[in-house]
Amino acid sequence: MKIKKICSLLAILFLVGLTIPVMAQVNPQNLGNIRVDELNDDQIRAMMRQAEASGLGDTQMEQMAKARGMRDEEAVKLRARVEEIKKADKKQKNQADPNKVQPKKPTGERELNFETDTLEKQKDPETEAEKAFLELRSKIFGADLFKNSNLTFEPNLNMATPRNYVIGPGDELLIDIYGNSEASYNLKVSPEGNINIEYVGIVPVGGLTIEAATSRIRSRMSSVYSGLRNGSVNLNIAVGNIRSIKVILTGEVVKPGTYTLPSLANVFNALYSSGGPNENGSFRAIELIRGGKKIATLDIYDFLMRGEMANNLRLQDQDIIRIPVYRSRIEIVGEVKRPGIFELLENESFADLLRFSGDFTESAFKARVKVLKNTDTERKIADITSGQFEIYKPSSGDKYFVDRVLERFANRVTIEGAVFRPGQFELEPGMKLSQLIRKAEGVKEDAFMERGYITRLKPDNQTEVISFNVSGILKGTSADISLLREDIISIASIFDLKEEFKVSIDGEVREPGVFDYAENMTLEELILKAGGFTQAATAQRVEVSRRVKNSNITSASAVIAEVFQINIDPNLNFSSPKFVLQPFDIVSVRSSMGYEVQRQVKVEGEVLYPGMYTIANKDERVSDLLKRAGGLTALAYTKGASLKREGKDKDADLLGGARNKKNEINEEDLENDRLAKLSRLQGNVKDSADVLKQEEILKNVYVGIELDKILQNPHTNVDLILEEGDVLRVPKQLQTVKVNGEILYPVTTIYNLGRGFKYYISQGGGFSNKSLKRRSYVIYANGAVKSTSKILFFNNYPSVEPGAELFVPKKDANQKISAQELLGITTGIASLGAIILGIMNLSK
């Protein structure tokens, strides 16, 4: 158990590394710089869950943890924290619902009896470790923005052409003329920035906005289409297929380089294509450079916090987007809604950091926040009060901890037990015990009025118990008690202070079992609760056994139970004298004399009228049953006839009569006994068919009858008396012999008259080197079994008949003697020989 705990701890140590703040710039694979004191409980719980779900073996995790160099003192601290959190979680779970029962899987639900082959089993341990590290790292705020597949920032190419769109080489202009004159032109802007309009000539449009280009084209085309001057002809210009542009992303980018984008793309489109800022990149000062000059600075926090896209300008060819290294990153963990690592500007305060993190959670301790800071030589800790939030300026590398409010109540008292409204109540100033009982709607009728008690916390947090008289407190005859914080008042019920009274009934009633005892309960009332008599019941000699309280323990013939035999009215008439029961009485209702239930047997196989038959007489035998079945057919094989008899009652007796409250056989114990027997029988079983056969043997007893002798000498000892559930089976003439067990090739072969045991073994290839020949046996078709006997040094194998099965058991696996054991035995024998020789020499 200790080894398992150590391995689990090492698994946790392995997953700890990435909880170090990003600003410390520590390799996430290195566990040597971990400070356990800086980890909060939620982080450690996350590590514990990830260690449990990682799927890596304990040996692998131990090796990885050692390879990453965690210091011994930090490992000791982490071990203590883990054990502390486990105890706290277990205690909290028990307090939440101590009686909760885990749901059971339905017994009829199918389950796989094998493990499926999946890719999960082939995961690389190192890859899984990396995933675990990434899951446990504090998240950089905004880093997931450009990794979200549901938020692509792709430009909308179907939008109306913006009026300020700048035309460039490669754009396609759609010119439509309508009115008194109609014409359409699809013209592509040349590399020089010109278009060639039919009848008009070359028109330079490169570098112009759509609005300016429309004005120029209208002016040039008015010489051809005069209607453009008086309004009888209209002109519309739009951009068709847009050109592509080249944009360079440099600096702290996930994938820096030159990107080809649509000319409608903006800065966000380019950032998404490149993966956005990397771990060292700034999210607050992304620069757009055009023509060697910085024309805009983009702050992604504006979009994340307010949905604004200020300075998200449309890109032009050869624009440069530079992401500088961040200047200031601060981590905040604990009771905030969005813990993580945030980037702050020079003029921003802790209040801004709190706003970025989503503000405090409902359970946060808001009066003070703890911060760990880095100095030039060492670390220091500081506290920030709520009044400093607006003015306090965080420094890069700071780590802020927001704690939870204390798990304690300033004014709670609890009352439990026999009151109408148990639970927790407010402790009002000067509250007395009697006031709290009245708040709980008073005591119940079954309350134990002589004594209650208060469990109280002393100033040093030890507990003490204060007793009081419940009746005296309520009547005012006893001094009332002033209550203190966290007092727990307990008032017991009289039923909690005595054994639960029961009575039981079995025998010929419809619903036998155990019932709650009620004062002055009569025998007739208990029989009614049990559903009344069955048809087989007799109202005479109903037996009631009662506990004895004053038995003479010194007497060998001491009375240990008081037994009453009572005759009651079969109709349970209440006018007759009543027998009043006492707690723990056991009532037994007998069957009527001569009452019998039909018992049936079955005949199968080669008889004229097979089927179910009811036993007519108690001494009805096998020969009588065959007569009722019309006798045997011409193909009946009498030597193979068998009688199968149910073995469940026998198994139940072997269990010592394990029965439930309704006097039924305990199925679970019976199944356990069956499996134990099966495991003993399966020592030499090779396949599933043999397992099924062995289970059949457990469920039923096969009686080896000799039907030919029964027919010759009916109503003798060989002619068995039938019992309920018997199955008589008369097979056809059998022609095969089955060979099984420790032979080279188990086989079913044709029966050969006059051949012996070894002949049929040879048909299966002969004995194996593990065969236990002297324990071989034959199971005949009628269920009889004969084993191998010994004549001097030779095995006398049983004879073989049609339908028989030969079985050869397996030798027990003997443990080989080691060299040391052989040396010890040899030395012992030599020593014993030397002693004997010495004694012989002395005797001469």
Side-chain angles (χ1 to χ4, degrees):
M1 192 71 180
K2 289 182 178 179
I3 294 174
K4 188 175 181 181
K5 286 185 176 179
I6 292 172
C7 291
S8 299
L9 177 64
L10 288 171
I12 294 169
L13 301 182
F14 166 66
L15 296 170
V16 155
L18 288 172
T19 56
I20 302 175
V22 169
M23 48 279 189
Q25 299 301 314
V26 178
N27 184 353
Q29 298 294 325
N30 180 17
L31 305 183
N33 295 318
I34 292 177
R35 299 181 180 90
V36 177
D37 293 335
E38 296 182 10
L39 304 177
N40 59 27
D41 289 348
D42 290 336
Q43 288 175 299
I44 294 182
R45 284 190 179 93
M47 297 176 214
M48 293 165 63
R49 287 193 298 269
Q50 191 66 31
E52 184 178 353
S54 64
L56 299 176
D58 292 340
T59 304
Q60 292 172 300
M61 299 292 280
E62 179 180 356
Q63 293 172 350
M64 292 178 184
K66 289 180 179 179
R68 284 161 174 76
M70 170 165 275
R71 292 180 295 178
D72 292 339
E73 59 270 22
E74 294 298 331
V76 172
K77 290 180 183 179
L78 184 60
R79 187 185 306 118
R81 289 282 299 279
V82 169
E83 292 299 327
E84 180 183 346
I85 290 174
K86 284 183 177 179
K87 290 179 181 178
D89 290 347
K90 184 177 180 181
K91 182 178 179 181
Q92 185 177 5
K93 182 178 180 182
N94 292 337
Q95 288 177 347
D97 192 354
N99 299 319
K100 183 176 181 180
V101 178
Q102 295 297 328
K104 293 184 178 180
K105 197 170 187 176
T107 56
E109 186 173 340
R110 285 182 178 159
E111 296 179 356
L112 290 176
N113 59 2
F114 60 90
E115 291 187 359
T116 57
D117 293 329
T118 65
L119 294 177
E120 294 290 332
K121 298 180 182 179
Q122 302 176 0
K123 291 179 178 178
D124 178 45
E126 292 291 340
T127 304
E128 289 303 301
E130 291 301 326
K131 290 181 179 179
F133 284 142
L134 291 175
E135 287 296 326
L136 295 177
R137 290 188 67 176
S138 295
K139 299 291 190 300
I140 299 175
F141 182 60
D144 292 336
L145 178 64
F146 301 105
K147 301 173 185 177
N148 186 354
S149 60
N150 296 323
L151 189 65
T152 62
F153 292 107
E154 291 181 355
N156 183 4
L157 302 181
N158 295 321
M159 62 183 290
T161 305
R163 303 310 295 172
N164 61 349
Y165 176 76
V166 178
I167 299 173
D171 282 340
E172 182 184 39
L173 295 185
L174 306 179
I175 303 175
D176 290 323
I177 298 173
Y178 57 94
N180 291 339
S181 299
E182 292 185 358
S184 295
Y185 302 96
N186 294 346
L187 304 176
K188 189 173 183 179
V189 180
S190 68
E192 291 78 17
N194 301 324
I195 59 175
N196 188 356
I197 305 175
E198 188 179 10
Y199 308 122
V200 175
I202 302 298
V203 180
V205 293
L208 300 178
T209 64
I210 285 290
E211 188 174 8
T214 301
S215 177
R216 176 173 292 184
I217 293 172
R218 179 187 293 274
S219 175
R220 295 288 298 273
M221 293 186 73
S222 60
S223 61
V224 177
Y225 298 96
S226 58
L228 289 173
R229 296 190 183 93
N230 57 26
S232 61
V233 177
N234 296 311
L235 174 68
N236 182 59
I237 298 177
V239 177
N241 293 329
I242 60 175
R243 70 185 185 279
S244 61
I245 59 174
K246 299 287 186 179
V247 178
I248 301 171
L249 284 98
T250 185
E252 300 300 322
V253 190
V254 173
K255 293 180 289 184
T258 301
Y259 288 83
T260 301
L261 300 173
S263 57
L264 290 175
N266 54 35
V267 178
F268 267 103
N269 302 143
L271 290 174
Y272 176 78
S273 298
S274 64
N278 62 21
E279 288 191 354
N280 293 323
S282 171
F283 283 76
R284 308 293 307 273
I286 298 174
E287 300 172 354
L288 176 60
I289 301 172
R290 182 174 296 163
K293 296 181 180 179
K294 183 172 70 174
I295 64 170
T297 301
L298 180 67
D299 187 346
I300 296 179
Y301 278 27
D302 290 339
F303 173 74
L304 294 173
M305 298 302 299
R306 297 186 296 275
E308 297 178 0
M309 288 192 175
N311 292 333
N312 183 28
L313 303 180
R314 185 171 294 107
L315 298 175
Q316 295 184 14
D317 195 39
Q318 300 303 316
D319 277 354
I320 297 174
I321 298 174
R322 190 181 78 88
I323 302 179
V325 176
Y326 70 87
R327 289 190 177 183
S328 173
R329 275 189 182 166
I330 294 92
E331 184 177 4
I332 183 169
V333 296
E335 294 302 317
V336 290
K337 296 173 184 175
R338 192 165 47 228
I341 300 171
F342 299 88
E343 183 178 350
L344 264 64
L345 302 180
E346 292 182 1
N347 59 340
E348 291 177 332
S349 65
F350 176 78
D352 295 304
L353 174 64
L354 195 60
R355 178 169 55 86
F356 294 150
S357 66
D359 213 335
F360 294 115
T361 65
E362 292 76 9
S363 58
F365 176 60
K366 303 175 183 178
R368 186 170 58 252
V369 174
K370 180 173 66 176
V371 56
L372 292 180
K373 302 180 71 67
N374 295 323
T375 66
D376 294 337
T377 57
E378 58 186 359
R379 310 192 82 200
K380 70 175 182 179
I381 189 169
D383 291 330
I384 308 171
T385 61
S386 57
Q388 299 174 292
F389 289 172
E390 296 289 342
I391 59 174
Y392 187 85
K393 302 295 183 182
S395 302
S396 184
D398 285 357
K399 185 172 182 178
Y400 293 84
F401 297 87
V402 181
D403 295 327
R404 298 174 64 92
V405 294
L406 297 177
E407 291 292 337
R408 57 177 289 169
F409 291 84
N411 61 340
R412 178 178 66 176
V413 289
T414 306
I415 186 168
E416 58 188 20
V419 292
F420 284 102
R421 294 191 182 277
Q424 300 174 352
F425 292 87
E426 177 190 1
L427 175 63
E428 299 171 352
M431 177 181 276
K432 301 286 187 179
L433 176 58
S434 59
Q435 293 175 283
L436 178 60
I437 296 176
R438 284 194 292 271
K439 269 193 170 185
E441 305 295 341
V443 296
K444 294 182 178 179
E445 295 81 355
D446 59 332
F448 181 65
M449 303 297 290
E450 299 302 318
R451 184 175 295 273
Y453 60 90
I454 301 172
T455 304
R456 174 167 290 175
L457 285 178
K458 298 169 68 175
D460 59 357
N461 265 1
Q462 295 187 56
T463 57
E464 63 175 339
V465 175
I466 302 172
S467 301
F468 61 90
N469 184 288
V470 179
S471 178
I473 292 292
L474 295 177
K475 294 178 181 178
T477 57
S478 299
D480 213 344
I481 302 174
S482 297
L483 298 179
L484 301 179
R485 183 184 68 84
E486 297 295 357
D487 277 355
I488 301 175
I489 294 85
S490 300
I491 299 176
S493 167
I494 57 175
F495 299 113
D496 297 334
L497 304 177
K498 65 180 181 180
E499 188 177 0
E500 189 176 6
F501 289 165
K502 299 286 185 180
V503 289
S504 62
I505 183 170
D506 58 20
E508 296 300 332
V509 289
R510 294 178 62 245
E511 297 180 8
V514 180
F515 297 88
D516 292 329
Y517 171 78
E519 195 170 349
N520 296 322
M521 175 185 282
T522 64
L523 177 59
E524 291 82 358
E525 290 167 346
L526 178 59
I527 294 173
L528 282 176
K529 281 192 171 186
F533 292 122
T534 65
Q535 189 178 16
T538 177
Q540 308 301 313
R541 300 175 65 85
V542 176
E543 189 172 279
V544 179
S545 58
R546 181 167 293 167
R547 290 184 179 181
V548 175
K549 297 181 181 179
N550 54 355
S551 178
N552 184 5
I553 60 174
T554 61
S555 173
S557 59
V559 177
I560 59 174
E562 192 175 1
V563 179
F564 304 91
Q565 287 189 346
I566 305 152
N567 299 330
I568 62 175
D569 190 326
N571 298 320
L572 302 178
N573 191 342
F574 281 84
S575 61
S576 59
K578 301 176 182 178
F579 182 85
V580 179
L581 299 175
Q582 296 294 327
F584 311 110
D585 280 355
I586 300 175
V587 178
S588 299
V589 180
R590 310 298 182 193
S591 298
S592 299
M593 289 186 299
Y595 185 88
E596 294 289 344
V597 178
Q598 298 95 323
R599 302 175 186 178
Q600 289 193 310
V601 294
K602 188 177 183 181
V603 184
E604 297 177 343
E606 295 301 312
V607 295
L608 294 180
Y609 302 103
M612 300 296 298
Y613 289 85
T614 301
I615 300 174
N617 304 308
K618 286 187 176 181
D619 61 347
E620 188 166 357
R621 297 174 182 266
V622 173
S623 59
D624 300 323
L625 179 61
L626 283 175
K627 288 179 182 179
R628 293 172 63 186
L632 303 175
T633 67
L635 294 177
Y637 179 55
T638 55
K639 287 188 177 182
S642 63
L643 182 68
K644 183 171 70 174
R645 182 160 286 174
E646 293 183 357
K648 186 173 181 179
D649 291 337
K650 181 179 178 181
D651 287 339
D653 293 338
L654 290 173
L655 285 172
R659 297 176 180 271
N660 61 17
K661 67 180 183 180
K662 292 190 176 182
N663 204 34
E664 297 171 346
I665 291 182
N666 189 312
E667 295 294 342
E668 183 178 354
D669 292 341
L670 186 61
E671 177 68 9
N672 292 338
D673 182 68
R674 186 187 71 81
L675 292 175
K677 292 179 183 177
L678 185 61
S679 65
R680 294 195 296 270
L681 287 171
Q682 286 178 358
N684 300 300
V685 171
K686 283 192 173 183
D687 56 31
S688 59
D690 289 326
V691 173
L692 295 174
K693 182 173 181 179
Q694 300 290 7
E695 288 189 326
E696 181 69 16
I697 292 173
L698 290 178
K699 293 178 181 177
N700 301 285
V701 176
Y702 285 85
V703 182
I705 62 173
E706 298 177 278
L707 188 57
D708 49 353
K709 292 184 180 180
I710 290 175
L711 295 176
Q712 293 172 6
N713 302 293
H715 292 269
T716 59
N717 290 338
V718 295
D719 193 3
L720 297 182
I721 297 174
L722 297 173
E723 295 183 8
E724 183 179 12
D726 282 354
V727 178
L728 177 63
R729 185 176 182 275
V730 183
K732 286 183 180 180
Q733 180 66 43
L734 301 174
Q735 299 176 326
T736 60
V737 174
K738 186 176 182 181
V739 186
N740 211 337
E742 280 300 321
I743 60 174
L744 295 180
Y745 189 79
V747 68
T748 298
T749 184
I750 298 174
Y751 174 75
N752 198 333
L753 182 63
R755 294 292 187 174
F757 188 92
K758 285 189 175 181
Y759 167 78
Y760 295 103
I761 293 295
S762 67
Q763 297 299 303
F767 294 107
S768 73
N769 57 1
K770 297 181 180 179
S771 298
L772 187 61
K773 302 177 184 178
R774 59 189 175 87
R775 295 290 185 221
S776 302
Y777 57 90
V778 176
I779 305 173
Y780 294 98
N782 65 348
V785 181
K786 285 186 180 180
S787 61
T788 302
S789 59
K790 275 280 189 182
I791 299 178
L792 297 178
F793 299 103
F794 304 99
N795 292 326
N796 182 27
Y797 296 106
S799 61
V800 181
E801 295 180 358
E805 179 180 356
L806 285 61
F807 196 89
V808 181
K810 181 181 178 181
K811 290 180 181 178
D812 293 334
N814 296 324
Q815 184 177 0
K816 295 183 179 179
I817 300 176
S818 64
Q820 288 113 343
E821 291 174 331
L822 182 61
L823 179 63
I825 293 172
T826 306
T827 305
I829 294 173
S831 300
L832 181 61
I835 292 171
I836 293 173
L837 288 174
I839 294 172
M840 292 175 64
N841 290 332
L842 290 174
S843 63
K844 290 181 180 180

